[in-house]
């Protein structure tokens, strides 16, 4: 028999979590992963912690150019929020379909730690941080330190992902591209996001690239980005610049696409992002 | 009022409101559930089947319970209802487990073990031909002394002399993949024991096929089996053969246990183990003269039939009869082979071999046009077959053909010719065109020799007319079109006519709901029966009128030599698709879809449009999205997340027209349409991509990955 | 565990495992079979219902998360003038073929029109993008929803 709890306060939720309960947001990944044969019960064991009623986890607050998103906020709620950055909005709008987005939560998408988790790519780009809470206290770490591999988190057994902290950095140019198995209601073969801010003299102040589904976790390489800072955008060779990421793009062959395609297209999208920015100089 | 003018479908409101009860929706007292235990091995000799002890009320049903012949009686009887001594594919049915609680069944199923002495599996046609597995092991033939179900040869003219005269020979191989039906309702049947009969209802296309298969496996008389069709949530051919494959074991279980048993497939089981469209490899050798005109053609068609014969031989026949498409090629040789492999048996799917053949010939004609420097539409137009021209089966085309006018019309609505010229040097835009026809009804004299269709009308004492046929409503609209056909003759309102889902205890065998035959063949019989009824209308009391199929005069067929008129008539079509290819991701955006069809006369315009739009989007899925690969003997894409059919956002609105061309032996002039509307979309799509990229890409589904591979190979 | 929710306006309660799919409870325990199962993994939308006014896939909702919620199924929608307007438009436009996706499509149409009573074609296509149909190619369904918006003017 599966035990389930649906607390209304964070304190209660943390107490239940401390007993080892599995955090359960909208269920749109968990109910698929644990589904039984048609007509049979989903196959859970132990305790489930439904987070959908925890008031603290349902809030979105915006202050001083930082957006704080409760882990149980749904994709639809984020899409409808006026302060959600366009890049994140574009990614969310292409996740599944309305029925899923009405249930799926941002915390769930993170917690699922799938290489193809579409919200992760813009979150990495914005240097999102996450708050992890337990009865013993809380810690805030960069998102990329939470996710260490395919479905692997550094979340302690008693901790709950409670908030996503998103700096609302303004860029002069952003781009999101999902390459899915079809045009809508699709899983990603790969996804791309890029952001660019130029100085007045046309040199790069900030260039960020994040790629999804081309490695066990989202690919974001600050060392490469830093090496391009201060360079003239116009002077970059888009194809050669994209190659800087080549060693970090290590995709697999699977039922949705091929490694060769993922890698080539990822490089094309990086080059295309640079080229289009150059064209609009 | 002209018959084509639309009326509201009779089943629309009940279906939309959720009142319609499909087989999974039926409430049944004392219901038990059935789950198949399937082979986890692709090939081997069965050594043992180990079943854990069963709790009370749970039963194993297997080959030992078969009172008749342990086979699925289809064209052949090679497919065992329950495996006995060998398995030939992953998923082959070993036994049926029956019991009242699905959780318990689930646990029991996972406790069953099969022991086999493994043999090297052959998954592809190449492996089957070589008799060698992918791992390089030599493998004995899967069936008999070769891995072939059939090897057919057709020819007309003097191909050898024409090749001797050729200035140039062009070779090209076109390939198509598996396709899964994804009817929205998974396979489902419910069986029970009633008054000395095994009764089965469910989601199915061919009540009499299920009846026949049940009779053979039970070894019983006609009276001992009753099949009724439940509302059917889509078929597309997938419920033509599979209900026999799950129905025969179910009949055995009901016969043994005398309890109600329902089997509803989970989607993963459905995708993993039900029939698929045959993958094809079709190679051309075409002899050209100095100016690039066609002198002769050789076509080598190969299909992957999978582990048991099912309909592979007749799918292959339809494929080779459509091998030359809609063109008059006076000197031609066509070879057709269907291979035995260790994949899930391939089966019926909308089009039945024709889509593969038509995709290939259209793609090859695109290539020949490109070599000649002519736009494909104009090139194809010049080779169109005309009335009286010879066909590949040494018959003569009998249809009145209006394809030239259809080409003019589609050019008007789509701007095809202008765009085809304009996009010749455009890096990302392309437009493609396909010309095609689809033989209506069974191949050759199958309607007369095998089916012998009967259709009946009954007028009761109160003057109400009832339609009695075995054809099923599966979305295509027969509950509406059949009423319209009868109402037209009797000059009564269609809504006064009774027409319910067939019950073999009440309806005559009017044949399967397949092969684009319901309206043209059975509808015509209903029209004939209605004429009889009209003449006898004054008779008192209840009266019945029945019509029997006879081949239209002037048609001949010899099944042994495959010579004569392979179809009584054809539906005809031209499709145009316009695309834009993304140079970074190789994704293809479809910008426009146009279609013009000759289906004789549409019985209902709205229903016809629905067939066109649905068929074309399914065909576009086949051509672009629906990748289904075999990995280690299993389908790699076995969920609806991974096997992707088109959504509402994948394709734009279809612009379509029908042009009238009444057929004398169709009801009110109607011909078959259900498969025709599928056939042209994939080649028009791939032709558009080829046009955009300026090179041949003879492989579907033409996914972004495939496009990239071709481009990389060429660079 | 004891679970209460409102089903088509009626208070409903029972003792169910909290992880049981809302879909199975509606269909099998409460006998409302208008909601269909097409895939069991939230891909096809045949099991669409409204949960507190929002479209969801009932195959992915553990019943415990429906506690206290308002659930509307096709059986509830058809009793409502909006549902009737959508049904009539579907019938008139020829948007129904095999019918298995149709109840879910009706729910998607209601979910859309209740938020956006005057959608354009793109909005309609987006709203039904999680509801797969294998028969119609969607054109007639899109047409039907636009027709419902026009004919049912004022209902939403």
């Amino acid at each position: 028999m599966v035990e389930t709890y649906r607390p209304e306060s964070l304190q209660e939720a943390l107490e239940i979590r401390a007993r080892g309960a599995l955090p359960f947001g909208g269920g749109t990944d968990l109910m698929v992963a644990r589904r039984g044969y048609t007509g049979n019960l989903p196959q859970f064991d132990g305790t489930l912690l439904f987070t959908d009623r925890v008031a603290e986890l349902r809030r979105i607050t915006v202050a001083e150019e930082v957006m704080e998103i409760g882990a149980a906020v749904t994709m639809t709620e984020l899409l409808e929020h006026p302060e959600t950055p366009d890049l994140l909005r574009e990614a969310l709008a292409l996740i599944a379909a309305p029925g899923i987005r009405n249930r799926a939560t941002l915390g769930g998408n993170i917690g699922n730690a799938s290489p193809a988790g579409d919200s992760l790519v813009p979150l990495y780009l914005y240097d999102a941080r996450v708050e992890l809470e337990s009865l013993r206290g809380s810690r805030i770490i960069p998102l990329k330190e939470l996710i260490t591999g395919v479905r692997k988190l550094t979340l302690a057994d008693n901790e709950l992902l409670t908030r996503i902290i998103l700096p609302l950095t303004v860029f002069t140019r952003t781009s999101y591209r999902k390459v899915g198995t079809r045009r809508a209601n699709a899983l990603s073969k790969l996804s791309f996001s890029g952001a660019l801010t130029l100085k007045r003299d046309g040199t790069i102040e900030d260039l960020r690239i994040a790629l999804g589904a081309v490695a066990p976790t989202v690919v974001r390489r600050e060392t490469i980005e830093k090496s391009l800072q201060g360079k003239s955008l116009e002077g970059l060779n888009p194809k050669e610049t994209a190659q800087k990421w080549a060693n970090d793009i290590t995709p697999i062959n699977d039922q949705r696409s091929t490694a060769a395609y993922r890698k080539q297209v990822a490089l094309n999208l990086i080059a295309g992002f640079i080229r289009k920015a150059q064209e609009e100089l | 009022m002209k018959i084509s003018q639309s009326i509201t479908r009779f089943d629309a409101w009940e279906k939309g409101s959720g009142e319609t009860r499909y087989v999974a929706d039926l409430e049944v007292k004392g219901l038990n559930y059935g789950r198949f235990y399937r082979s986890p091995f692709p090939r081997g000799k069965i050594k043992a089947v180990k079943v854990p002890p069963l709790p009370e009320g749970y039963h194993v049903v297997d080959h030992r319970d078969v009172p008749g012949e342990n086979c699925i009686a289809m064209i052949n009887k090679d497919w065992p209802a329950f495996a006995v001594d060998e398995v030939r594919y992953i998923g082959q049915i070993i036994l049926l487990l029956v019991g009242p609680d699905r959780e318990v069944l689930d646990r029991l199923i996972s406790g069953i073990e099969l022991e086999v002495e493994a043999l090297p599996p052959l998954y592809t046609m190449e492996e089957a031909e070589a008799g060698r597995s992918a791992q390089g092991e030599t493998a004995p033939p899967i069936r008999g002394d070769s891995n072939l179900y059939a090897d057919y040869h057709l020819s007309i003219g003097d191909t050898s002399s024409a090749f001797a005269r050729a200035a140039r020979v062009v070779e090209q191989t076109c390939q198509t993949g598996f396709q899964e039906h994804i009817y929205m309702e998974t396979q489902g049947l419910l069986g029970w024991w009633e008054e000395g009969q095994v009764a089965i209802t469910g989601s199915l296309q061919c009540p009499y096929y299920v009846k026949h298969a049940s009779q053979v496996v039970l070894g019983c008389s006609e009276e001992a089996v009753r099949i009724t069709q439940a509302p059917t949530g889509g078929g597309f051919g997938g419920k033509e053969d599979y209900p026999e494959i799950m129905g025969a074991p179910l009949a055995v279980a009901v016969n043994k246990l005398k309890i109600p048993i329902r089997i509803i497939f989970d989607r993963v089981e459905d995708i993993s183990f039900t029939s698929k469209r045959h993958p094809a490899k079709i190679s051309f050798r075409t002899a050209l003269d100095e100016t690039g005109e066609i002198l002769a053609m050789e076509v080598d068609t190969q299909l992957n039939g999978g582990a048991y014969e099912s309909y592979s031989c007749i799918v292959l026949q339809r494929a080779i009869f459509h091998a030359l498409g809609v063109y008059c090629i006076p000197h031609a040789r066509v070879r057709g082979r269907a291979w035995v492999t260790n994949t899930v048996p391939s089966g019926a799917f909308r089009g039945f071999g024709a889509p593969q053949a038509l995709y290939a010939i259209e793609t090859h004609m695109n290539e020949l046009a490109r070599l000649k420097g002519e736009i494909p539409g104009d090139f194809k137009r010049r080779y169109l077959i005309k009335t009286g021209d010879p066909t590949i089966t040494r018959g003569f085309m009998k249809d009145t053909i209006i394809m030239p006018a259809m080409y003019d019309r589609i050019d008007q609505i789509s701007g095809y010719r202008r765009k085809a010229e304009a996009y010749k040097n455009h890096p990302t835009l392309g437009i493609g065109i396909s010309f095609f026809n689809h033989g209506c009804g069974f191949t050759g004299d199958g309607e007369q020799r095998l089916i012998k269709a009967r259709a009946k009308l009954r007028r009761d004492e109160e003057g109400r007319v009832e339609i009695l046929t075995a054809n099923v409503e599966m979305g295509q609209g027969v509950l509406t079109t059949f009423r319209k056909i009868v109402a037209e003759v009797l000059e009564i309102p269609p809504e006064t006519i009774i027409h319910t889902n067939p019950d073999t205890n009440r309806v005559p065998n009017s044949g399967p709901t397949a092969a684009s035959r319901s309206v043209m063949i059975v509808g015509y019989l209903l029209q004939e029966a209605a004429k009889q009824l009209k003449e006898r209308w004054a008779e008192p009391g209840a009266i019945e009128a029945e019509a029997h199929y006879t081949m239209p005069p002037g048609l001949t067929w010899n099944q042994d030599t495959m010579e004569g008129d392979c179809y009584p008539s054809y539906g005809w079509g031209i499709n145009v698709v316009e695309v834009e290819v993304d140079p970074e991701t190789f994704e293809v955006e479809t910008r426009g879809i146009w279609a013009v069809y000759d289906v004789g006369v549409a019985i209902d315009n709205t229903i016809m449009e629905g067939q066109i739009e649905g068929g074309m989007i399914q065909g576009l899925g086949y051509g672009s999205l629906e990748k289904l690969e075999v990995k280690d003997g299993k389908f790699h894409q076995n969920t609806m997340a991974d096997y992707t059919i088109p959504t509402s956002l994948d394709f734009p609105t279809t612009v379509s027209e029908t042009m009238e061309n009444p057929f004398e032996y169709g009801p009110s002039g109607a011909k078959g349409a259900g498969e025709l509307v599928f056939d042209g979309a994939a080649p028009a799509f791939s032709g558009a991509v080829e046009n955009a990229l300026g090179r041949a890409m003879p492989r579907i589904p033409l996914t972004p990955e495939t496009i990239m591979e071709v481009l990389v190979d060429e660079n | 565990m004891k679970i209460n929710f409102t089903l088509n306006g009626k208070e409903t309660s029972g003792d169910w495992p909290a992880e049981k799919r809302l879909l199975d409870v509606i269909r099998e325990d409460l006998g409302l079979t208008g909601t269909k199962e097409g895939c069991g993994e939230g891909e096809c939308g045949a099991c669409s219902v409204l949960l507190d006014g929002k479209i969801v896939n009932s195959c992915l909702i553990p019943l415990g998360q429906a506690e206290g919620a308002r659930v509307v199924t096709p059986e509830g929608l058809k009793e409502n003038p909006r549902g009737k307007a959508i049904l009539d438009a579907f019938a008139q436009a020829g948007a129904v073929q095999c019918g298995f996706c149709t109840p879910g499509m009706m729910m998607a149409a209601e979910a859309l029109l209740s938020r956006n009573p005057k959608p354009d074609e793109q909005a309609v296509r987006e709203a039904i993008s999680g509801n797969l149909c294998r028969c119609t190619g969607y054109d007639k369904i899109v047409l039907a929803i636009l027709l419902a918006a026009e004919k049912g003017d004022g209902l939403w």
Side-chain angles (χ1 to χ4, degrees), chain B residues 172-176 282 359-360 362-364 366-368 370 427 579 581-582 586-588 623-624 682-715:
Chain B
Q172 188 178 31
T173 297
C174 303
Q175 284 179 275
T176 68
I282 300 178
Y359 160 75
E362 285 307 287
T363 299
H364 186 55
N366 291 345
E367 179 67 0
L368 299 178
R370 193 168 25 248
V579 302
V581 182
D582 186 311
F586 316 104
E587 291 173 294
V588 181
S624 67
F685 172 86
S686 63
V689 176
E690 291 181 327
N691 179 235
L693 299 173
R695 41 171 76 64
M697 297 202 163
R699 218 164 100 196
I700 53 169
L702 195 44
T703 60
E705 287 82 357
T706 303
I707 294 170
M708 188 192 85
E709 279 167 33
V710 175
L711 294 176
V712 168
D713 281 353
E714 289 187 8
N715 292 340

Side-chain angles (χ1 to χ4, degrees), chain B residues 8-9 11-13 15-22 24-25 27 33 102 179-186 232-234 236 266-267 349-350 473-476 606 609-611 613-615 617-618 626 639-641 643 645-649 651-654, chain C residues 24 27-28 31-41 43-46 74-75 78-79 83-84 87-88 90-103 106 121-122 124-140 142:
Chain B
T8 302
R9 286 174 66 116
D11 51 352
W13 219 89
K15 282 176 171 173
S17 64
E19 286 166 23
T20 300
R21 297 244 165 179
Y22 298 81
D25 304 336
E27 270 182 62
Y33 298 90
R102 286 168 291 181
Q179 189 185 19
E180 159 56 33
H181 308 79
I182 308 283
Y183 25 68
M184 293 305 297
E185 179 204 25
T186 58
T232 297
F236 315 111
D266 185 85
R267 180 62 71 179
F349 196 148
R350 194 180 207 168
E473 172 66 61
M474 52 179 170
Q476 87 285 35
T606 299
E609 285 165 20
Q611 286 295 299
E613 291 154 8
I617 297 305
Q618 197 174 53
E626 297 181 26
T639 64
M640 279 177 76
Y643 184 80
I645 65 166
T647 70
S648 54
L649 286 167
F651 295 101
T653 302
T654 298
Chain C
D24 292 329
R27 283 180 51 80
E28 300 194 357
L32 299 185
T33 55
T35 304
K36 309 298 181 194
E37 177 170 356
C39 68
E41 53 162 356
E43 280 292 323
C44 77
E75 288 84 355
K78 75 172 183 196
E79 299 303 329
K84 290 198 173 83
L87 264 173
D88 283 343
F90 268 62
Q92 194 185 334
V96 182
Q97 288 194 29
C98 87
F100 204 78
C101 76
T102 319
M106 315 287 291
E121 181 185 334
Q122 185 62 21
V124 173
R125 286 190 180 269
E126 278 168 18
I128 61 169
S129 63
N131 293 74
L132 299 179
C133 169
R134 193 58 153 168
C135 297
T136 65
Y138 305 101
D139 289 352
K140 298 264 183 274
V142 173

Side-chain angles (χ1 to χ4, degrees), chain B residues 31-343:
Chain B
L31 181 63
N32 283 260
Y33 298 90
R35 278 280 295 276
F36 288 114
Y37 174 73
R38 297 169 177 279
S39 170
F41 304 106
R43 186 177 182 191
K45 292 195 165 55
I46 296 178
K47 291 288 154 202
V49 185
K50 293 182 180 164
V51 181
L54 299 181
E56 201 188 327
Y58 291 81
H59 313 272
V60 162
V61 179
D62 68 11
H63 67 91
R64 292 166 299 185
D65 300 306
V66 174
E69 292 178 69
N70 179 33
C71 68
I72 310 295
M74 298 169 83
I75 304 293
N76 204 327
K77 289 182 174 176
D78 64 328
W79 192 342
F82 298 99
V84 183
D85 46 15
E86 65 156 355
V87 288
R88 286 194 197 168
Y89 68 98
I90 294 176
Q92 184 164 351
I93 293 170
I94 310 293
L95 58 86
L96 180 64
L97 198 62
V98 177
D101 186 320
R102 286 168 291 181
E103 303 285 347
V104 175
L105 284 175
D106 204 58
R107 270 203 306 281
L108 291 171
I109 283 280
S110 59
I112 299 177
E113 282 177 51
L114 182 71
E115 278 178 25
V116 304
E117 185 187 316
L119 283 164
L122 303 169
Y123 296 132
T124 65
M125 294 189 274
E126 291 76 12
E127 289 164 22
E129 183 168 17
R132 195 176 292 279
S133 75
Q135 280 70 39
E137 305 148 287
T138 304
I142 298 165
R143 179 183 97 152
D145 54 7
S146 86
N147 285 324
L148 278 175
Y149 289 120
D151 186 355
Y152 300 132
H153 295 265
L154 305 173
S155 74
I156 46 165
D158 183 353
T159 306
S160 301
S161 309
F163 267 86
R165 291 200 305 279
R168 178 176 183 189
V169 173
V170 179
E171 297 190 10
Q172 188 178 31
T173 297
C174 303
Q175 284 179 275
T176 68
F178 283 105
Q179 189 185 19
E180 159 56 33
H181 308 79
I182 308 283
Y183 25 68
M184 293 305 297
E185 179 204 25
T186 58
Q187 302 276 353
L189 295 177
L190 166 67
W192 68 98
W193 181 256
E194 116 189 323
E195 295 164 16
Q197 280 190 318
V198 169
I200 292 176
T201 190
S203 190
L204 51 90
Q205 291 178 223
C206 312
Y208 272 92
Y209 280 6
V210 182
K211 185 176 163 82
H212 177 66
S214 301
Q215 272 172 243
V216 171
V217 80
L218 295 178
C220 67
S221 68
E222 237 180 273
E223 293 72 34
V225 179
R226 174 190 183 189
I227 310 297
T228 52
Q229 181 233 352
T232 297
F236 315 111
K239 291 169 185 171
E240 176 175 348
D241 47 25
Y242 210 82
E244 290 89 277
I245 293 147
M246 65 193 286
L250 176 63
V252 172
V254 170
N255 181 66
K256 175 183 179 180
L257 304 169
K258 312 277 193 285
I259 53 175
I261 303 164
R262 180 155 62 198
I263 308 172
I264 304 290
F265 279 0
D266 185 85
R267 180 62 71 179
V268 174
E269 180 170 20
D270 198 302
I271 296 179
S272 299
F273 305 124
T274 64
S275 322
K276 303 286 175 276
R277 184 185 301 287
H278 291 72
K281 186 163 100 177
I282 300 178
S283 301
F284 294 89
R285 281 186 76 236
T286 299
L288 301 179
D289 70 11
E290 307 71 33
T291 65
E293 298 295 343
I294 303 168
L295 294 173
M297 197 179 276
E298 288 182 346
V299 189
D300 183 10
T301 301
Q302 299 182 73
L303 302 180
N304 179 351
Y308 291 96
E309 184 177 309
S310 182
Y311 296 132
S312 284
C313 292
I314 44 175
V315 168
L316 179 63
Q317 288 172 29
R318 189 172 280 269
I320 61 174
F321 297 160
H322 285 79
L324 302 180
V326 292
Y327 308 110
C328 179
I329 313 286
H331 308 288
R333 274 200 286 258
V334 175
R335 183 181 190 189
R337 282 171 287 174
W339 293 99
V340 190
T341 65
N342 294 109
T343 56

Side-chain angles (χ1 to χ4, degrees), chain C residues 8-59:
Chain C
N8 298 327
K10 268 196 350 219
E11 290 303 321
T12 304
S13 66
D15 194 15
W16 288 287
E19 77 275 21
K20 188 166 185 176
R21 305 186 301 174
L22 175 61
L23 171 67
D24 292 329
V25 172
I26 294 172
R27 283 180 51 80
E28 300 194 357
D29 301 330
L30 302 171
L32 299 185
T33 55
T35 304
K36 309 298 181 194
E37 177 170 356
C39 68
E41 53 162 356
E43 280 292 323
C44 77
C47 69
S48 299
V49 299
L50 301 181
L51 188 80
D52 290 330
K54 287 184 172 153
I55 187 166
V56 298
N57 299 97
S58 63
C59 71

